[in-house]
Amino acid sequence: MSGPVVVGVDGSSSLAAVEAAAREAERLGRELRLAHTLTWSSTHLPPGVPPWDRDGAATRVRLTGPLTEARRAARRIAPGVATTQDVLLGEPSAVLESASRTASLTVVGGSPAAGVGGRLRASVAGKLAARSRGPLLVIRGRRDPDGPVVLGDVTSREAAEFAFSQATRRGTDLVVLHPRTRTARSLSAPRKKHPHVVVHERRASSWTGHALVEASGTAQLVVIGARHTVADTLRVSAARILVDHAHCPVAVIPHRKA
């Protein structure tokens, strides 16, 4: 895709995502789009915004700070990248899912969202893992700067291509987890394209989310594919577990329809 790199902005907690998005936009040669979502209803108002905000003054004050801080963070990381900003109305995961359809990459923070009584509800990242239509990068945990990129799905050509590209850019090895001893065909093309990437193939008992969470403990990045179909429910479930519990950033790469 030739669209922008889109990053969800929700305050200081998203600055790591903004910085990662700026790096990816610079690498891809794409515009960076800062997207702040605003859910507006009389029963669910942002803190400090009155039910009737006649000229939008209170809303503008609330939004200016996070977006300004995000723009400064992006400029520090990638000063040459063109940056735009938008305030989008709607439920965050639904709005970002729509934006992901034309984005080169969508980037979000991976902190779980707290629900009533402190119980956890599905995070924005978890929801996007199940329905994003473009590549999704979730920034969470603490990546091991000396660790490898881990590919947790050898059935996806798109995920393999993304994992090899990231290993090349980061100058690190690629660990491929799969339940078969023979090399998957999906690795053939990216191996030829990235001949300098050292590949370690490891047999895994399954592609469950918990197995990938364990593998993320010593990784820079974990990459998994998802087709978002009823038949692929297991893999989508694994992606949702991974983006909410991994110890390092996670990339979820959807299958491109022919």
Side-chain angles (χ1 to χ4, degrees):
M1 291 184 182
S2 59
V5 172
V6 176
V7 58
V9 176
D10 61 2
S12 60
S13 63
S14 65
L15 287 184
V18 171
E19 291 173 354
R23 292 188 186 96
E24 292 298 327
E26 185 175 52
R27 178 180 70 86
L28 294 170
R30 300 286 186 262
E31 177 183 275
L32 177 64
R33 182 186 182 195
L34 309 174
H36 185 106
T37 58
L38 179 63
T39 303
W40 188 274
S41 74
S42 60
T43 57
H44 182 70
L45 291 172
V49 176
W52 179 248
D53 188 13
R54 185 182 299 275
D55 60 359
T59 304
R60 284 197 298 275
V61 169
R62 175 181 175 271
L63 297 178
T64 298
L67 285 170
T68 299
E69 189 175 13
R71 183 180 282 271
R72 287 173 179 166
R75 190 170 296 160
R76 285 196 302 270
I77 298 298
V81 170
T83 303
T84 62
Q85 62 188 51
D86 288 305
V87 176
L88 308 173
L89 294 176
E91 194 276 324
S93 62
V95 168
L96 291 173
E97 185 275 326
S98 179
S100 75
R101 294 172 181 267
T102 56
S104 293
L105 180 69
T106 302
V107 184
V108 295
S111 300
V116 178
R119 296 165 60 186
L120 293 180
R121 57 182 169 82
S123 68
V124 170
K127 292 178 181 178
L128 282 173
R131 64 191 192 190
S132 177
R133 300 306 172 184
L136 172 68
L137 179 61
V138 180
I139 305 303
R140 58 165 295 108
R142 292 186 177 182
R143 71 179 183 90
D144 183 343
D146 299 316
V149 170
V150 173
L151 173 60
D153 185 358
V154 295
T155 66
S156 169
R157 176 173 54 84
E158 294 83 4
E161 290 174 353
F162 188 91
F164 270 87
S165 176
Q166 286 289 322
T168 295
R169 183 176 72 83
R170 296 162 186 260
T172 191
D173 294 357
L174 176 64
V175 172
V176 179
L177 300 178
H178 57 82
R180 296 185 297 273
T181 55
R182 57 189 171 86
T183 302
R185 285 184 297 176
S186 63
L187 302 182
S188 299
R191 272 183 187 271
K192 293 178 180 178
K193 186 176 180 180
H194 302 274
H196 300 297
V197 172
V198 177
V199 179
H200 307 274
E201 295 191 45
R202 296 179 185 172
R203 187 172 183 178
S205 59
S206 67
W207 278 311
T208 65
H210 298 293
L212 294 173
V213 168
E214 182 178 356
S216 73
T218 56
Q220 289 193 41
L221 175 72
V222 177
V223 181
I224 187 172
R227 285 182 171 80
H228 305 302
T229 64
V230 173
D232 202 37
T233 300
L234 179 61
R235 198 162 276 108
V236 170
S237 176
R240 293 189 66 163
I241 292 172
L242 191 59
V243 300
D244 278 341
H245 300 285
H247 304 292
C248 72
V250 176
V252 182
I253 312 301
H255 173 69
R256 289 194 296 266
K257 295 182 179 179

